[in-house]
Amino acid sequence: FTMDDGLSKAVREVFVRLHEEGLIYRGERLINWCPRCLTALSDIEVEHEETKGKLYHIRYPLADDPSTSLIVATTRPETMLGDTAVAVHPDDPRYRHLIGKKVHLPLTTREIPIVGDPILVDREFGTGAVKITPAHDFNDFEAGERHHLPRLAILDAHARLDPEGLQKAAVESTVRESVQGLPVSKARPKIEEQLQARELLVKVEDHKMALGKCYRCKTVVEPYLSPQWFVNIQPLADPAVKAVEDGRIRIIPESWTNNYLGWMRDIKDWCISRQIWWGHRIPAWYCRQCNEDSTIQTAPTTGTKRSYSFSAKATPIVALRAPTHCPDCGQHDFLQESDVLDTWFSSALWPFSTLGWPDQTSELKKFYPTSTLVTGLDILFFWVARMIMMGLKFMGDVPFRDVYIHALVRDAEGQKMSKSKGNVIDPLSIMGDYGTDALRFTLASMASPGRDIKLAEERIEGYRNFANKIWNAARFILMYAEGIREHVEIGDRSFADRWMFSRLNRTIQDTTTALEQYRFDHAAGYLYQFIWHEYCDWYLELVKPALQDKASTEARRTRATLIQSFEITLRLLHPFMPFLTEEISQALPHESTQDSIMIRPFPTRQSAWEAKDIEEQFAALERFVTMARAGRALLAYPPGARLNVFAAAKGPDERMSLEKLHRHLEQLSRASVHIADQATWPSQKVLRLVAEGLTIGIGVEGDVDLQKVLDRIVKQAAEAMKEVKRLEGKLANVEFVAKAPADVVAEHRQRIATLTHEQSMLASSEQQLRSML
RNA sequence: GGGCGGAUAGCUCAGUUGGGAGAGCGCUGCCCUUACAAGGCAGAGGUCACAGGUUCAAUCCCUGUUCCGCCUACCA
């Protein structure tokens, strides 16, 4: 970014304003530091790794009574050279009386105080005494502040023992000479040896701990004392906590809310400076005249580091532009701060900086705040929380209403994908193999809340097939689209059309509701089910005969319905499969003025389409057809052979439905269908099949394997028997009948009745079959 | 250490006012039936991790255990 770039302008504006309010300060603090990259690291840049280490128990003799000593435990014996105190718990009867006395710090000529600190010390852990090294440990730094202890840095920026620091820390010269210039890993055994030789090392035990490592180079990070820039975060965090507490911002799924609140309430000042090249350079300048003593020359060792920096004592001038002269000395020789900003500092401004802020643009008015932010959990704190804080601070309003936390996509082993780990699944390659829409649909369908996604190729392949299915349906429709189309009122449409519209209506409603609840998985499921298993499997099959005679009224009307319904379906599917739906919708017959599908309205529910009675009739048809097909498979009739199928309706309503749908029944079951009472069926050569209250008979012709059929019927009867026994068992329980809701009990009775009827039918089929064998 | 999530068909995963266990892929059988074999039709397959508890009734609620994963933390 150039300095005139809008984003940079916003960053500088924010930096300067925060600084003016005292919310940005510069100071010497401990930060996570990579001794190899020579830069500060933010929390997100540090990876923690379980490591086997050692716990060293070291004896610190009392200064005025060397026969008595405190034993402290540490995982980092080399840092003891920088100790400036030993802490015990003020209420600990073992040590209480020692507070205020001094111990002699081994390997040095220093004496350091014993302090009481209830925060740092856990009485139960180790010996109950702990060393304080403010320059090399975060907690010790805090403890050092509480007790006004000096900070003795004994490591340099490369995490080597620093000769000057060792000198200042009054380390014995022999010790000093043996360790100076050594990296931590080499110095540690030397220190261990020295302590051993003086019999001050009480014991060494194995110890598990989590070591922080630089995300880039895997070097163990060091808490490092250096001048850095910070944001005083509490004044920004408080409003951001409130915004979520009072519901102005909703986190979805809700379970992450506590995570957010917990983190925000316990937030620490934000180190925003980085010692790297790439980034927004901090808008601060130092007068060379006034800060001569604070200038630190550093050799450009790697070629990526600037050659100077300033100590914590230096006085910066923070401004939007380079100052023309120094307000103190009037000189005009400046060096700009060499540090750049943490990348999340500018990211935090994204919701408004991208809209032109600090200018009051029309985009800013229109799009701030936005409705939903979709993001991954891993940056909830680093990005989302900071956008909320900065948005509230500079815009006076939340940057978004809903935060949708989506799942993390992991690799096949369930590992988190990361650039540095190299286990990234390349979306471009997946898209090449299966298509962009298939990948998108897969991710939507697997986006169940609170659960991560292990990307499974089989699922993607399945949705690739789904896309293919839609292509083929489109081909079918285009094939029959030619010709006059006649639009009629919904009530006058055919059975198939009315059923399909009723189902489409339901699908629109379900999909919309699911989207409103951020249940993309449910929405994808509804669409898949409707398009494949209702629209393609049943509707398109049902209308085929009508389309055959192209000139007929029925064909004219069906063509209109086909195109209308498919176009609506495509719009409904468009957010999930944008490319395919656009392509097909352009191919369908349409007005030349019609917009791209992406800006057409999303379908809405039409109550006129709802047809419960039609759906019930369809259910009867589906039961019949499925059973006829099963019978065909059971009797191993070839698909081409025409069957004779008898159907007995349960009542007059069903009989009417079946008669009305007679043509469809014959078409879909490829059979001659006879609707008649069972009593009138031929007594011989008819196989009876029963399921869900419907009984059909299939004419038995030719040489068929009746044994297979018998096995099936016996098995089905056994299953029915088992279920009846289970239900009767429950009904026999007086407590069940007394305490269960009446409708549940009634339902149980109803199920028994149905099953019993089924059983008797099966028994008669069985008897009949045995006689035929 | 603390917190959170997961364990359901061979695999990847759905499944809430507790009451008959689902999908996709894979598998078996039949079928290239003029949209589609990346397909159609029909099937097989599950003591819902384990042990207790609450309840008339538990995949679902509670407790504990085992295993896996994530976040977080200074246990020196």
Side-chain angles (χ1 to χ4, degrees), chain A residues 79-100:
Chain A
T79 64
M80 69 175 285
L81 302 175
D83 286 0
T84 52
V86 172
V88 296
H89 198 282
D91 301 333
D92 191 334
R94 291 173 296 178
Y95 305 120
R96 205 162 39 198
H97 60 286
L98 297 175
I99 292 169

Side-chain angles (χ1 to χ4, degrees), chain A residues 710 713 761-773:
Chain A
L710 181 61
I713 283 178
M761 288 292 133
L762 286 166
S764 109
S765 292
E766 186 185 339
Q767 209 169 24
Q768 192 189 9
L769 265 172
R770 288 195 190 283
S771 71
M772 284 159 75
L773 270 167

Side-chain angles (χ1 to χ4, degrees), chain A residues 192-205:
Chain A
E192 190 181 344
E193 271 172 37
Q194 304 264 8
L195 290 170
Q196 193 95 55
R198 297 174 197 208
E199 296 185 342
L200 293 171
L201 192 59
V202 181
K203 66 174 171 180
V204 180
E205 46 188 19

Side-chain angles (χ1 to χ4, degrees), chain A residues 21 81 98 102 111 121 127 151 156 182 239 251 330 336 383 445 490 505 538 558 612 643 653 662 688 721 752:
Chain A
E21 289 187 40
L81 302 175
L98 297 175
K102 293 190 168 190
E111 288 180 359
V121 179
T127 58
R151 302 167 196 152
D156 64 15
L182 293 180
I251 298 176
Q336 190 178 349
W383 192 32
S445 75
I490 185 75
N505 187 53
W538 289 96
T558 301
K612 276 268 176 296
L643 305 181
D653 287 351
H662 189 256
R688 283 187 206 144
M721 173 75 80
I752 288 179

Side-chain angles (χ1 to χ4, degrees), chain A residues 35 62 81-82 115 190 211 218 293 309 317 340 391 414 450 461 532 540 563 581 589 633 731 772:
Chain A
L62 283 190
L81 302 175
V115 299
K190 299 258 182 205
L211 270 189
K218 309 301 171 202
D293 298 342
S309 63
I317 301 167
V340 299
E461 197 178 339
W532 197 318
L540 293 183
I563 290 162
T581 48
L731 284 168
M772 284 159 75

Side-chain angles (χ1 to χ4, degrees), chain A residues 749-769:
Chain A
R749 294 218 161 92
Q750 180 56 46
R751 259 153 51 195
I752 288 179
T754 309
L755 284 166
T756 308
H757 175 252
E758 194 168 312
Q759 270 183 307
S760 67
M761 288 292 133
L762 286 166
S764 109
S765 292
E766 186 185 339
Q767 209 169 24
Q768 192 189 9
L769 265 172

